[in-house]
Amino acid sequence: MLRLGRREFPPHEPVIMAIVNRTPDSFYDQGATFRDEPALARVEQAVAEGAAIIDVGGVKAGPGEEVSAEEEVRRTAGFVAEVRRRFPDVVISVDTWRAEVGEAVCEAGADLLNDAWGGVDPRLAEVAARHRVGLVCTHAGGAQPRTRPHRVTYDDVMADILKVTVGLAERAVALGVPRESVLIDPGHDFGKNTRHSLEATRRLGEMVATGWPVLVSLSNKDFVGETLDKPVKERLLGTLATTAVSAWLGAQVYRVHEVAETRQVLDMVASIAGHREPAVARRGLA
């Protein structure tokens, strides 16, 4: 059972994590939710469309203008507090690699720290343990935050993913993070080229077999764009195809921009797999 905040999710329940970027330069929405009111409206819409987790980010993943820890806190902590006030039951995640940011957002009401850069600041797991919140343990191939991969190689990319993510997860639990609140993430695009991300998707079942809940962050990423030769705004179909494959292979949490479309894909796969009843069943029964 995955436990995050006030929520519990059985192993076969697919969970949507909706992205809310508190940045003026995010790669996908170009700052559409940088201001408070559009961001809060985005949260309301995402929850209505079926998101159980809201993932708040104060620094875009790619290269760009330097953002200090103080500025990242300014962009995220107050917003987390307001989301907590308005949506008491939603799981609030914050995408950060910095321990000082993790401390501030946990005090503001965050339930989960999404460490997308693979433990580059080992103190972040200590913050999660101290506050008894969840932690996402991601494979980033040793890359430094906000850098792009360059001629990165692996003897076996999935073997490296498993070694790193399981190691981070076990360390987190040893520090005191609740075991039922730890997830592992293959880190698509992070420290990887497109072929690495495709192989990570193809072999996702190996991560699921570890017993740790698997989170995938696939939404409109470059590996989808390169695979189909599509710009950012034309990657939805490729993202949904990758989502369906990931769901069939057993991933549980999906970090996404398009909530409603992802919800339909996950519900369909769950019904095919026999984990969900059809919403309506009239055909051939009348």
Side-chain angles (χ1 to χ4, degrees):
M1 185 74 73
L2 175 62
R3 292 185 174 89
L4 299 170
R6 300 183 180 183
R7 302 288 298 274
E8 294 186 347
F9 306 99
H12 292 300
E13 180 178 343
V15 182
I16 293 179
M17 169 189 274
I19 300 166
V20 180
N21 289 314
R22 303 288 289 145
T23 61
D25 53 357
S26 51
F27 91 99
Y28 183 71
D29 60 31
Q30 298 298 304
T33 53
F34 185 47
R35 294 186 299 108
D36 286 352
E37 286 311 311
L40 289 166
R42 161 71 175 158
V43 173
E44 184 173 10
Q45 178 186 9
V47 170
E49 291 178 347
I53 306 172
I54 300 299
D55 191 49
V56 180
V59 184
K60 79 169 186 176
E65 182 179 342
E66 176 67 21
V67 179
S68 68
E70 293 76 16
E71 174 61 16
E72 187 180 354
V73 168
R74 191 191 69 78
R75 293 177 180 184
T76 56
F79 183 72
V80 166
E82 183 61 17
V83 173
R84 178 84 295 147
R85 186 184 72 81
R86 296 194 189 193
F87 303 91
D89 294 326
V90 76
V91 177
I92 303 175
S93 168
V94 175
D95 180 353
T96 186
W97 74 88
R98 291 165 163 155
E100 54 265 57
V101 177
E103 189 74 45
V105 298
C106 285
E107 290 176 358
D111 305 299
L112 177 65
L113 296 176
N114 181 10
D115 183 7
W117 290 102
V120 69
D121 183 348
R123 299 174 301 155
L124 189 63
E126 298 170 12
V127 172
R130 187 160 55 252
H131 289 274
R132 303 290 292 174
V133 302
L135 184 69
V136 179
C137 300
T138 308
H139 179 272
Q144 289 299 303
R146 308 193 67 190
T147 61
R148 298 196 187 281
H150 179 68
R151 299 188 185 279
V152 61
T153 61
Y154 298 94
D155 291 334
D156 182 327
V157 67
M158 182 50 74
D160 203 77
I161 289 169
L162 292 172
K163 178 181 177 181
V164 170
T165 58
V166 171
L168 290 170
E170 290 175 346
R171 174 180 181 268
V173 172
L175 288 169
V177 180
R179 187 178 187 89
E180 63 274 16
S181 303
V182 176
L183 304 98
I184 59 175
D185 177 354
H188 288 81
D189 275 358
F190 282 55
K192 299 171 188 66
N193 62 33
T194 289
R195 288 185 175 86
H196 293 144
S197 292
L198 291 171
E199 182 172 352
T201 306
R202 187 162 57 246
R203 298 174 61 185
L204 205 62
E206 295 175 46
M207 293 190 75
V208 174
T210 67
W212 297 99
V214 175
L215 179 151
V216 287
S217 183
L218 312 167
S219 192
N220 302 294
K221 283 197 166 178
D222 285 347
F223 83 96
V224 174
E226 287 195 356
T227 299
L228 301 177
D229 193 17
K230 294 293 184 183
V232 170
K233 293 297 184 179
E234 296 179 24
R235 297 176 184 176
L236 176 58
L237 291 178
T239 296
L240 295 178
T242 313
T243 297
V245 170
S246 299
W248 187 255
L249 292 174
Q252 185 168 14
V253 181
Y254 301 80
R255 182 177 181 273
V256 305
H257 297 97
E258 292 92 359
V259 175
E261 294 88 341
T262 303
R263 182 78 269 164
Q264 287 190 45
V265 169
L266 294 176
D267 285 349
M268 192 70 199
V269 173
S271 294
I272 293 169
H275 303 314
R276 173 187 178 273
E277 289 296 316
V280 177
R282 292 189 292 262
R283 183 174 174 79
L285 301 177

